[in-house]
Amino acid sequence: MDNKIKSIEAILPPPASHMVGDGFKVHNFFPSNPRIGLNGMSPFFLLDYGSKWLVPPSDKPRGVGVHPHRGFETVTIAYHGKVAHHDSGGNSGVIGEGDVQWMTAGAGVLHKEYHEKEFSKKGGLFQMVQLWINLPAKVKMTPAKYQSLEKKDLIKVFLDDGKSNVEVIAGEYDEMKGPATTFSPVNLFNAKLLKGDKARFSFNKNYNTGMLVIEGEIRINDSETAPEDNLILFKHDGEDIVIEAVKQSIVLVMSGEPIREPIASYGPFVMNTEAEIKQAFDDFKNGKFGYLED
Ligand code: MN
């Protein structure tokens, strides 16, 4: 590769965690971080990271009750533990370890998210990511839909040693396309690297790019190192990134074309104008998101 290096903007340790419902203990890397804000990682709007947590056994599954979404997509990645979901469209399912659920809320959906029943009974190690990916104005009101991407559906691109690999969820790595369809250009990968192995990435200069160290520790561009649970943000000065696993590592790689539109957001709604936020609340109150039992 002859492109210029995309250099590091910042390495962020996880901010203090908070609970979403009683089941998801998450570090919000953005938009709560003022240096990122609502647009700093666009099209990625929100990153809630549930770092490793030993969940005590419970007969009543922990989680978050019925709530609406409109105007964006939620991408839930389960690294440890299992998440069950139900929605107002009658859909339900379980996101198992290694699986990804790509939900397009679009015009609107009501759903609830809980620890899966059997997992909840036994308790155990839980680690997950929920990313919110914004939708361009012209498709914000697209009908809600799901892409349930099981571990086996994800595309594995093996590196030279035949063991380390880059798992492609969305977008393209080394000319291999991931299974998720997106409404704007988005790359989402899990790089799974054995100690000492390197992976190279190349993204458009203007794309917003970040890497979350899910496990292990990595050296970036032969310079700085980032430990587990840290988010690396990149500048817009080049295309190429190389990461090396200081220890056996898993890295969530996200890079996408910014959606250059105004954002109005409140709670579970991400729209373009305040009037659209008000409309979302009115529609929610008037039952236009459908019905779902608690
Ligand atoms: Mn939700």
Side-chain angles (χ1 to χ4, degrees):
M1 283 187 284
D2 306 315
N3 298 330
K4 196 176 176 301
I5 290 287
K6 200 185 257 307
S7 55
I8 297 170
E9 160 83 24
I11 297 178
L12 306 177
S17 63
H18 70 277
M19 293 302 295
V20 177
D22 66 357
F24 303 100
K25 187 164 90 176
V26 302
H27 309 274
N28 180 262
F29 277 103
F30 56 85
S32 63
N33 185 325
R35 76 185 291 167
I36 302 174
L38 301 181
N39 262 312
M41 274 297 284
S42 174
F44 309 101
F45 176 80
L46 173 147
L47 172 57
D48 268 350
Y49 171 49
S51 59
K52 286 174 186 162
W53 176 31
L54 208 49
V55 178
S58 168
D59 284 334
K60 187 174 176 294
R62 297 155 177 263
V64 51
V66 178
H67 59 279
H69 290 298
R70 174 181 281 180
F72 60 99
E73 302 184 281
T74 65
V75 179
T76 306
I77 308 170
Y79 290 97
H80 290 285
K82 292 181 180 180
V83 179
H85 70 97
H86 291 83
D87 82 1
S88 49
N91 304 293
S92 66
V94 173
I95 309 163
E97 290 195 355
D99 298 344
V100 178
Q101 183 205 59
W102 197 295
M103 182 185 86
T104 306
V109 70
L110 287 181
H111 77 161
K112 53 185 181 182
E113 300 156 275
Y114 284 95
H115 297 172
E116 185 270 337
K117 222 172 172 177
E118 292 307 312
F119 171 79
S120 186
K121 266 185 197 158
K122 286 186 202 141
L125 187 62
F126 192 74
Q127 187 185 26
M128 53 84 72
V129 161
Q130 189 168 87
L131 260 177
W132 292 9
I133 300 181
N134 203 0
L135 287 170
K138 63 174 191 296
V139 290
K140 276 197 182 291
M141 296 299 277
T142 191
K145 68 167 185 180
Y146 286 94
Q147 302 177 67
S148 294
L149 309 169
E150 289 178 32
K151 193 175 181 172
K152 64 174 171 48
D153 302 327
L154 304 175
I155 301 302
K156 271 187 166 39
V157 179
F158 285 92
L159 306 181
D160 292 340
D161 72 350
K163 288 179 184 147
S164 290
N165 63 83
V166 174
E167 189 180 68
V168 188
I169 301 166
E172 195 174 317
Y173 182 77
D174 203 12
E175 297 178 2
M176 299 289 282
K177 283 192 167 69
T181 60
T182 65
F183 289 86
S184 68
V186 171
N187 293 289
L188 194 62
F189 314 145
N190 278 310
K192 300 183 174 178
L193 305 178
L194 294 180
K195 181 178 173 174
D197 278 0
K198 288 183 175 181
R200 292 172 175 77
F201 301 91
S202 190
F203 300 116
N204 285 3
K205 203 169 173 171
N206 67 316
Y207 279 23
N208 288 319
T209 301
M211 293 188 183
L212 177 61
V213 183
I214 299 293
E215 192 157 317
E217 180 176 355
I218 58 169
R219 179 172 294 113
I220 306 108
N221 296 335
D222 287 320
S223 59
E224 294 181 65
T225 61
E228 191 161 301
D229 299 337
N230 276 229
L231 177 70
I232 305 117
L233 299 177
F234 291 89
K235 291 184 179 169
H236 301 96
D237 56 349
E239 291 86 18
D240 294 344
I241 301 168
V242 52
I243 61 173
E244 179 185 359
V246 177
K247 306 171 185 169
Q248 185 166 333
S249 294
I250 299 175
V251 183
L252 177 66
V253 178
M254 57 204 112
S255 182
E257 184 177 63
I259 298 170
R260 301 187 193 281
E261 295 173 348
I263 293 179
S265 88
Y266 194 90
F269 307 126
V270 183
M271 305 302 289
N272 300 108
T273 67
E274 291 303 325
E276 288 166 345
I277 293 291
K278 188 179 174 300
Q279 186 68 52
F281 273 100
D282 288 349
D283 289 351
F284 176 52
K285 267 186 262 165
N286 295 325
K288 292 197 177 150
F289 283 71
Y291 176 76
L292 181 64
E293 207 165 315
D294 268 319

